[in-house]
Amino acid sequence: MTELPARWRMPLAGATVCAVLAAIVIVLREDSVPPPATPAGPVADQPMVLVLRAVDFVDERHWFGVRGLCQETDARRCSHTLLESEQGQLRFRELPAELRGQRGGTAIGVTVLGPERLLVQSDPGRRWYSADRGQHWAEVGPDAPPVGEIPANGILERYCEPAPGCTPKIMVTLPDSGRRAELRGVPPLTEVVPHTRFADADGRWRLVGRRADKPVLAGSADRGRSWQVSELPPGPPGRLLDAEVALSGRSTYLRLTSRTPERDAKPATALYREDGARWQLVWRSDPAGPQPRSLTGVLPRPGGQLAATDEQGDGWVSADGGRTFQPARPEDRIPRGWPRRARTGYLAEAGNTLSHSPDGVRWTPLPNG
């Protein structure tokens, strides 16, 4: 299955997401489908809860998401619906036939490949493609031949064949078919990790990995046709699990998480900063040091400051370039949990609600119908 981006608690897995939308007008047009009925039978007598499980954005005012109607006593048993929100209007769309109805333990993700093009993924690694906002679906075929650049609306994935001793490849998901294609010309890195599936706000695509057992950052400003590799100061030992970039003022921050193979080993975090010259290691986790002892997310703040969240979901703010952190104040409006990058900013999860922020400061809950 495609490996979805995530926090270090589940390496490279998938994710999730405050202000209030004034009004949401639910429009059911001819090209929409009605919301799913409450399941019949014994399940209908059980308390149910609505959960917005996956969201991806076309732009700040246009997104698609997977909504689950789940048993309150067993959040794994849900019936799922595809939602589309555009300019505040919410529409119900159909998922592929194989994903309709109540299902147990099936994770469903959605990826936007353009204003009307969608990819839906589910366990165990199946993918469906739609070119008309979910009105028609076709299961995605085998991988396409390698490509030399990332096309517009394409995304990056780290992919391993399900076999022992896998060497991960960096793949491009093609927006015209949903098929994967290996990206040629990627620097020969081990433990390679794309920190997001899309370009950063500065238009650069970034990968993190190791070269000669040293951590490095590879960046491309031309959609993957060429790459510049920067060596990073040594951080905590262990296999790379997760990477995240935050652009704040004139500084670029990079958070890396790694873990050693010991059974009880905890993930360790390194935070780097670059101000136009070389990368500096400015912070690293210390189990015996002051709080925070780990960083699970980083967010830009006004004035070049940096915000972060820790493994308990608490918020922190740094005013000295990431060297020290102070507990966040209510006015800092850092959401609890583990914010993650989105194509149009950030998503954060609070209970069963996802919130979106274009800048890591202003948060808006997303409706779930």
Side-chain angles (χ1 to χ4, degrees), residues 236-293:
R239 183 170 62 92
L240 294 178
L241 303 181
D242 188 23
E244 182 181 22
V245 168
L247 308 176
S248 185
R250 297 182 179 180
S251 298
T252 301
Y253 292 90
L254 171 65
R255 178 189 59 80
L256 288 186
T257 299
S258 57
R259 182 166 56 198
T260 56
E262 292 81 8
R263 175 182 296 181
D264 298 328
K266 292 185 176 182
T269 311
L271 181 66
Y272 299 89
R273 188 184 76 237
E274 188 263 337
D275 297 317
R278 293 192 173 193
W279 286 92
Q280 304 174 59
L281 178 63
V282 294
W283 187 95
R284 62 188 296 167
S285 54
D286 180 358
Q291 295 283 4
R293 297 195 177 117

Side-chain angles (χ1 to χ4, degrees), residues 1-27:
M1 177 176 175
T2 301
E3 296 183 15
L4 304 175
R7 293 287 170 243
W8 47 257
R9 302 174 304 131
M10 291 192 298
L12 305 163
T16 12
V17 148
C18 272
V20 177
L21 292 176
I24 298 298
V25 181
I26 300 180
V27 179

Side-chain angles (χ1 to χ4, degrees), residues 302-352:
Q305 294 186 346
L306 186 72
T309 53
D310 64 13
E311 59 186 344
Q312 283 79 37
D314 294 328
W316 301 83
V317 175
S318 174
D320 60 0
R323 296 187 181 280
T324 62
F325 289 86
Q326 303 299 320
R329 304 164 300 175
E331 56 266 33
D332 291 320
R333 297 184 62 197
I334 299 173
R336 283 193 58 81
W338 296 273
R340 66 176 177 86
R341 277 288 315 279
R343 195 188 310 262
T344 54
Y346 294 86
L347 292 173
E349 180 182 12
N352 294 325

Side-chain angles (χ1 to χ4, degrees), residues 59 64 197 209 217 253 285 307 313 327 358 362-363:
D59 55 49
F64 291 85
R197 300 179 297 164
L217 176 70
Y253 292 90
S285 54
R362 298 171 290 126
W363 293 89

Side-chain angles (χ1 to χ4, degrees), residues 26-200:
I26 300 180
V27 179
L28 300 178
R29 297 182 175 173
E30 292 181 357
D31 61 350
S32 307
V33 296
T38 302
V43 174
D45 299 327
Q46 300 185 18
M48 308 295 284
V49 61
L50 289 176
V51 182
L52 193 58
R53 293 194 177 276
V55 167
D56 198 10
F57 286 78
V58 178
D59 55 49
E60 189 176 336
R61 298 284 293 165
H62 187 190
W63 54 267
F64 291 85
V66 176
R67 188 193 74 170
L69 180 62
C70 305
Q71 294 182 21
E72 192 173 50
T73 56
D74 185 356
R76 297 172 300 172
R77 297 200 61 82
C78 307
S79 57
H80 294 102
T81 307
L82 181 66
L83 300 182
E84 180 184 12
S85 177
E86 186 173 15
Q87 300 300 322
Q89 295 182 345
L90 195 64
R91 302 178 181 89
F92 295 92
R93 305 292 191 187
E94 283 282 20
L95 287 166
E98 295 89 337
L99 301 179
R100 298 171 195 168
Q102 190 178 72
R103 308 174 65 83
T106 299
I108 301 177
V110 61
T111 298
V112 167
L113 298 173
E116 299 188 347
R117 297 172 175 179
L118 302 172
L119 183 72
V120 165
Q121 310 103 294
S122 84
D123 297 335
R126 299 180 68 182
R127 298 151 64 99
W128 292 264
Y129 175 79
S130 173
D132 54 11
R133 304 187 183 211
Q135 295 186 64
H136 303 89
W137 293 95
E139 190 157 7
V140 175
D143 292 347
V147 296
E149 68 176 10
I150 305 164
N153 295 316
I155 62 168
L156 286 185
E157 300 183 44
R158 177 187 184 273
Y159 179 70
C160 269
E161 295 286 349
C166 156
T167 298
K169 301 177 182 178
I170 294 299
M171 311 287 283
V172 177
T173 298
L174 303 176
D176 61 350
S177 65
R179 298 168 68 193
R180 281 188 295 248
E182 185 174 1
L183 180 61
R184 293 193 300 261
V186 174
L189 307 178
T190 60
E191 302 179 28
V192 62
V193 180
H195 88 93
T196 67
R197 300 179 297 164
F198 33 82
D200 287 311

